[in-house]
Amino acid sequence: MSHDIAHQVSIALGDRSYAISIASGLLSQPSAWQGLPRAATALIVTNDTVGPLYAADLTRSLSAHYPKVLTLSLPDGEAYKTWETLQSIFDVLLQNACDRKTVLFALGGGVVGDITGFAAACYMRGVPFVQVPTTLLAQVDSSVGGKTAINHPIGKNMVGAFYQPERVVCDLQTLQSLPARELSAGLAEVIKYGPIADMLFFDWIEQHIDALLQRDAQALAYAVQRSCEIKAHVVGQDERESGLRAILNFGHTFGHAIEAGLGFGQWLHGEAVGCGMVMAAQLSQRLGLVDAAFTERLSALIARAGLPTVGPALGVEAYLHHMRVDKKAEAGDIRFVLIDPPGTALVRGAPDALVADVLQACCR
Ligand code: NAD
Ligand code: GLY
């Protein structure tokens, strides 16, 4: 199948609708940044890894549209998704007398995107912002849909806001510098969209997984486009996750327990989600919702993407404990995103004994 390299996906949210631009080389094309809100100042928020690679190109492009372009580089890492880092963004905005029209540009992965989006939601009660995601995970998931947050020492992403960007600009060229482990982590979120929404896309990923791992531009373009289309469709129906949007968390309940149980940062989020999807498929199978062939197919694809399919042996009680503090849990009852049938997801509980069986089968 051949696909054009340039794509545009729309996310329909009434007066908060926006476009997702997907192409190679957008960072250095001034025309890619036309039509955004006008302002005296643009602030690029990036980090110490991504900034040296891409902030100069973006600054040059934005200088065609904004009289003043500032850059703030944050320390790199999930550990810095904190109040203190958020405060450092407000410090720069206030020290430079930035007004309420100032546009923030989040140049980086999901950490930079989440914290910059939350800063934009708060500064002067809300200024415009643009997502410029540079990881595969951020291009196919975190930059789209308006979830913004910082972490609290007691829980990840516990303080935040729903706040939509003005635009998402995915420059596929940036994926060429991504470490291989981060690329695989992003592929977990791409694979996720198949079982929950589109098994034809799943077939396509199976056929193109080697091309994706080799960072083939056309394959990446289609993977980002189709992922964004599916996410846009779901978010367009349930922006604030009162129901349907929870299906985007396929694999995340088990995955969250792996991340929390091992200590955040041991496994990447996408690695935990990959393994969590195998567990959620196993649970769906044990509930009679999918057959063994589907579970094996999903597990094989996750392994081919370079992701773990066997969970750490944290013990059943530890898994259950961490899953009870998942945001989807209701009054302590764990709720799982399950597949029924492949291409469709639902959210429901499951007996602890069945979950224990799955954990015993999937962990070593
Ligand atoms: P990340 O932002 O930590 O980026 C991963 C690493 O890659 C970092 O070291 C980063 O500096 C580096 N990097 C980024 N782009 C690069 C590039 N082009 N070349 C080289 N290195 C590059 O991690 P992530 O996986 O992008 O995002 C994870 C975060 O996203 C978590 O905080 C998670 O909670 C959040 N998230 C949010 C949503 C949402 O809907 N808002 C969804 C999923 C995840
Ligand atoms: N990443 C899940 C969501 O955006 O809802």
Side-chain angles (χ1 to χ4, degrees):
M1 199 185 301
S2 99
H3 301 279
D4 287 343
I5 298 281
H7 304 281
Q8 181 122 320
V9 175
S10 299
I11 175 156
L13 291 167
D15 60 2
R16 283 163 292 104
S17 300
Y18 53 95
I20 305 163
S21 308
I22 304 161
S24 281
L26 292 173
L27 280 178
S28 47
Q29 287 171 19
S31 58
W33 309 90
Q34 271 166 359
L36 289 166
R38 299 170 82 82
T41 308
L43 172 64
I44 299 170
V45 181
T46 184
N47 73 21
D48 293 343
T49 304
V50 178
L53 297 172
Y54 302 114
D57 282 348
L58 182 56
T59 300
R60 261 191 301 279
S61 294
L62 293 181
S63 296
H65 305 286
Y66 298 97
K68 193 157 134 194
V69 181
L70 304 171
T71 299
L72 169 62
S73 187
L74 308 175
D76 185 1
E78 183 76 33
Y80 297 98
K81 203 171 152 184
T82 59
W83 274 116
E84 290 71 24
T85 310
L86 186 69
Q87 176 82 353
S88 74
I89 301 177
F90 300 142
D91 290 347
V92 167
L93 288 165
L94 288 165
Q95 282 156 4
N96 286 278
C98 290
D99 61 24
R100 62 183 358 157
K101 291 194 164 176
T102 304
V103 185
L104 270 53
F105 291 80
L107 174 68
V111 170
V112 167
D114 278 12
I115 195 166
T116 306
F118 190 38
C122 299
Y123 186 66
M124 295 197 176
R125 302 196 183 91
V127 293
F129 87 111
V130 176
Q131 289 275 16
V132 192
T134 61
T135 63
L136 182 60
L137 183 139
Q139 294 191 355
V140 301
D141 190 355
S142 65
S143 66
V144 175
K147 281 188 181 174
T148 74
I150 55 168
N151 298 329
H152 186 279
I154 293 175
K156 193 164 141 68
N157 293 329
M158 285 299 172
V159 181
F162 285 99
Y163 193 68
Q164 300 294 343
E166 297 293 320
R167 186 180 295 173
V168 180
V169 180
C170 299
D171 186 338
L172 300 166
Q173 189 63 39
T174 61
L175 302 181
Q176 298 299 329
S177 59
L178 200 59
R181 196 175 161 198
E182 298 289 350
L183 184 76
S184 288
L187 285 172
E189 302 284 7
V190 175
I191 292 169
K192 163 185 91 177
Y193 291 112
I196 65 167
D198 181 359
M199 285 305 283
L200 285 179
F201 184 43
F202 190 82
D203 295 344
W204 181 89
I205 302 167
E206 283 183 324
Q207 287 155 20
H208 292 82
I209 189 69
D210 295 331
L212 291 166
L213 286 165
Q214 285 156 17
R215 307 176 197 227
D216 173 84
Q218 287 209 335
L220 286 171
Y222 184 66
V224 174
Q225 178 208 336
R226 187 67 196 125
S227 300
C228 288
E229 282 170 356
I230 294 169
K231 181 149 188 187
H233 184 67
V234 171
V235 172
Q237 295 172 76
D238 180 22
E239 182 183 6
R240 289 178 171 248
E241 198 167 315
S242 46
L244 178 71
R245 186 166 176 166
I247 68 167
L248 297 172
N249 288 319
F250 176 47
H252 288 59
T253 311
F254 288 106
H256 169 84
I258 294 172
E259 285 185 274
L262 288 176
F264 286 99
Q266 294 297 312
W267 282 27
L268 298 180
H269 176 70
E271 292 169 338
V273 167
C275 188
M277 287 193 284
V278 175
M279 295 172 173
Q282 283 277 1
L283 186 56
S284 306
Q285 186 185 323
R286 276 158 212 261
L287 287 162
L289 309 176
V290 298
D291 60 19
F294 166 75
T295 308
E296 280 157 27
R297 213 179 140 193
L298 177 61
S299 182
L301 182 58
I302 288 167
R304 284 180 70 200
L307 295 161
T309 55
V310 174
L314 304 171
V316 169
E317 278 314 312
Y319 271 96
L320 291 174
H321 164 77
H322 290 298
M323 291 194 289
R324 284 199 184 96
V325 293
D326 183 79
K327 281 201 218 72
K328 286 184 301 305
E330 286 177 6
D333 288 337
I334 307 166
R335 293 169 63 72
F336 298 92
V337 180
L338 301 171
I339 303 304
D340 178 23
T344 311
L346 50 79
V347 183
R348 56 165 275 191
D352 277 1
L354 219 50
V355 177
D357 279 354
V358 167
L359 290 168
Q360 266 143 13
C362 292
C363 298
R364 265 193 294 282

